[in-house]
Amino acid sequence: MDIDSVLEVVLLVRGQGNLKLKQKQKEALQAIVVNGQDCLIVLPTGYGKSLIYQMLPLLFDKTNLSLNVTSEGKSIVIVVSPLNALIDDLINKLSSVGIACTSLRVCGADIEERIFAIDDLQTGKFELIFTHPEVAVSNRQFRDLFSTSYYQRNVRAVVIDEANCIIEW
């Protein structure tokens, strides 16, 4: 499989056809999507680490690899980040270019329902789901949702973004 040609298609679909990926970005995407490897990606600020995980859902769908998992819908990537401002900025930016994404946050004992209806989550409308570490590890609603067979079949990656800002798990 020629990962470069698939990457070109994904960039065109995302409206970023003029963007040229850096070698380290290509290597990370190759390792994750083609080789099915877990990756720790440590690159300088501004290098484009977020672009790597933003491309994953569509890249998995275009390659039809999906890590040998039978899928009944679109690929989903869960992004765990401790920073509200970063999550909000990314959701605004990605939504403006047609990428289906949302955030799940803790509000008291329940997940705060922002920008979406719970039905949209249950049917896999979103390809990128941003959440906080606290929600990912300790919220029962989150665990129940992501334990469903739909999410078990369609979640392709869990990304920990800005891990250096997470004080305690």
Side-chain angles (χ1 to χ4, degrees):
M1 174 175 128
D2 178 22
I3 190 72
D4 287 325
S5 59
V6 177
L7 288 171
E8 285 180 34
V9 169
V10 169
L11 287 170
L12 282 171
V13 169
R14 291 283 196 233
Q16 300 170 312
N18 60 344
L19 182 65
K20 298 295 179 214
L21 292 177
K22 298 174 184 130
Q23 187 59 36
K24 296 288 184 188
Q25 291 169 312
K26 288 180 184 180
E27 289 171 13
L29 290 166
Q30 170 87 28
I32 296 165
V33 177
V34 177
N35 303 339
Q37 297 174 318
D38 293 335
C39 292
L40 171 65
I41 301 168
V42 180
L43 296 168
T45 300
Y47 192 90
K49 295 178 293 292
S50 297
L51 181 60
I52 294 168
Y53 68 74
Q54 292 167 18
M55 292 182 68
L56 285 176
L58 188 55
L59 191 54
F60 276 119
D61 291 343
K62 290 290 182 194
T63 60
N64 295 318
L65 289 178
S66 301
L67 302 176
N68 298 319
V69 176
T70 304
S71 174
E72 67 181 43
K74 291 184 177 184
S75 296
I76 300 168
V77 172
I78 298 171
V79 181
V80 180
S81 175
L83 304 174
N84 284 336
L86 178 63
I87 290 172
D88 291 342
D89 287 346
L90 283 169
I91 287 175
N92 288 336
K93 175 184 164 194
L94 296 171
S95 296
S96 73
V97 294
I99 297 175
C101 58
T102 192
S103 67
L104 302 177
R105 301 179 185 194
V106 174
C107 181
D110 297 327
I111 292 176
E112 181 179 349
E113 294 184 34
R114 297 171 50 106
I115 312 172
F116 60 86
I118 198 71
D119 289 344
D120 290 338
L121 275 171
Q122 292 171 339
T123 58
K125 174 183 176 185
F126 303 106
E127 59 187 90
L128 287 167
I129 300 173
F130 293 86
T131 191
H132 292 121
E134 302 83 11
V135 174
V137 246
S138 62
N139 187 280
R140 182 157 177 83
Q141 285 178 296
F142 179 90
R143 285 193 318 267
D144 290 347
L145 179 65
F146 292 107
S147 294
T148 64
S149 61
Y150 185 87
Y151 278 87
Q152 292 296 309
R153 285 190 299 275
N154 293 296
V155 171
R156 301 290 175 259
V158 176
V159 174
I160 310 298
D161 197 13
E162 299 296 338
N164 58 306
C165 297
I166 301 170
I167 297 170
E168 182 179 325
W169 285 83

